[in-house]
């Protein structure tokens, strides 16, 4: 289970979003494991450094086989979603329900559970916030 990532604090400069992919081996098994994260950083090297740090928390004895950081094409949407309070949790974008949220728009772009709105894409987050 992945932990929620909240990196979108209010900033004056827009920082790009990188998709981090790290393939690694553990000391006990010789099978390859994969670590994927969405990280907002100033450049590709900082994103890889942050990805390695998060992997070290998860698996301290991991031996990295391959790593890559790709600039996401929807980087601006991700930054806008994070700055308005959305968090990425287990592949879903989520934020608490607000008083003025339109339930029809939420149903078109995602779904709501007891106290949170969930959307699959950053574009869905932006569409829900615009309504």
């Amino acid at each position: 289970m992945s932990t929620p990532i909240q990196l979108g604090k209010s900033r004056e400069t827009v920082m790009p979003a990188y998709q981090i992919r790290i393939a690694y081996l553990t000391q006990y098994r010789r099978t390859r494991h994969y670590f994927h994260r969405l990280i907002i950083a100033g450049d590709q090297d900082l994103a890889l450094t942050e990805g390695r740090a998060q992997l070290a928390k998860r698996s301290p004895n991991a031996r990295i086989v391959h790593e890559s950081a790709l600039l996401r094409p929807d980087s601006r949407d991700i930054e806008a979603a994070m700055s308005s309070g959305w968090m990425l949790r287990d592949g879903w974008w989520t934020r608490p329900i607000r008083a003025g949220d339109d339930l029809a728009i939420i149903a078109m772009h995602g779904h709501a559970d007891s106290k949170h709105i969930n959307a699959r894409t950053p574009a869905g987050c932006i569409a829900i916030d615009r309504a």
Side-chain angles (χ1 to χ4, degrees), residues 71-92:
L71 181 65
R72 300 232 346 188
D74 59 348
S75 182
R76 290 180 189 233
D77 291 345
I78 291 170
E79 179 64 27
M82 288 183 131
S83 67
S84 65
W86 290 87
M87 289 189 306
L88 184 63
R89 182 180 298 204
D90 295 329
W92 286 86

Side-chain angles (χ1 to χ4, degrees), residues 13-66:
T13 61
V14 176
M15 296 177 75
Y18 291 93
Q19 182 68 42
I20 302 296
R21 294 185 178 114
I22 299 175
Y24 66 97
L25 299 172
T26 62
Q27 69 180 15
Y28 301 112
R29 296 184 186 171
R30 291 296 176 198
T31 58
R32 185 179 286 203
H33 299 277
Y34 297 96
F35 181 77
H36 299 271
R37 286 291 187 270
L38 175 71
I39 296 180
I40 294 182
D43 64 358
Q44 189 174 13
D45 293 331
L46 289 173
L48 283 172
T49 303
E50 178 66 24
R52 281 188 225 106
Q54 289 183 12
L55 175 63
K57 288 180 189 174
R58 177 178 172 181
S59 181
N61 297 324
R63 189 177 62 149
I64 294 175
V65 177
H66 174 75

Side-chain angles (χ1 to χ4, degrees), residues 2-13:
S2 77
T3 58
I5 299 173
Q6 177 72 34
L7 297 174
K9 304 297 180 195
S10 60
R11 295 185 193 113
E12 296 182 11
T13 61

